[in-house]
Amino acid sequence: MSALDDLATSPFHDAEAPLRARMLSRLADTELAVALVSEPRGETLEFRIFALEDGPVALACDGEDRLAGFLGGPVAYAALPGRVLAAILRTEGTGLLVNPGAPSEMLLDAATLDWLAGALTSAPETAEARLRPVAPDPAAVAVLAEPLAARLS
């Protein structure tokens, strides 16, 4: 079981929005082994792309052993943080299949990766960055406590 599997109490696409958001956040911070056509040449990576009905996707797993197991043997791969992989695939208009056959399986289309990469790179505008002391909402504290504790550990 991986950190992504631990969050997957239900399939990604059936999960409620807050759980999907936590899974995408964890995906962004997870090092993924992405399948390549051949060994990397310098800084050039050629992703192994699979043509699916909904469009082309790259294949990645949260462990090289899981990737090799799915593909049935050793495979060339690159280890990249999920946020970096999302940004690269965003420019190519390619989706991402994560951990096929595992509890944390996700099929993210190009539009979702575009949104994720944008969300990960967004920063508040100067006019938005004003501090106002307010008491935290108890419901927000309950939702954020576990993910925050996980990141701090």
Side-chain angles (χ1 to χ4, degrees):
M1 293 289 282
S2 68
L4 280 172
D5 290 336
D6 290 342
L7 277 178
T9 55
S10 66
F12 177 77
H13 296 285
D14 295 338
E16 297 290 323
L19 178 57
R20 282 195 318 267
R22 287 177 48 209
M23 290 176 73
L24 288 173
S25 175
R26 179 75 50 91
L27 177 69
D29 295 334
T30 299
E31 183 174 270
L32 298 173
V34 59
L36 301 176
V37 172
S38 61
E39 293 296 326
R41 291 178 301 278
E43 301 223 357
T44 303
L45 301 175
E46 186 179 354
F47 298 124
R48 193 167 175 182
I49 302 297
F50 298 86
L52 298 183
E53 192 173 295
D54 294 335
V57 297
L59 172 66
C61 294
D62 55 7
E64 61 271 7
D65 54 337
R66 188 175 263 184
L67 180 65
F70 179 76
L71 292 174
V75 62
Y77 73 93
L80 300 169
R83 67 182 60 247
V84 172
L85 183 57
I88 293 170
L89 294 174
R90 171 191 206 181
T91 64
E92 298 179 6
T94 302
L96 180 64
L97 176 59
V98 180
N99 290 339
S104 57
E105 178 177 338
M106 293 180 235
L107 178 58
L108 307 173
D109 61 14
T112 302
L113 287 180
D114 183 47
W115 173 87
L116 179 60
L120 293 170
T121 59
S122 67
E125 293 180 21
T126 305
E128 292 180 58
R130 294 188 185 140
L131 297 176
R132 291 186 320 248
V134 295
D137 177 19
V141 171
V143 169
L144 295 174
E146 188 275 326
L148 183 58
R151 284 194 183 206
L152 292 174
S153 67

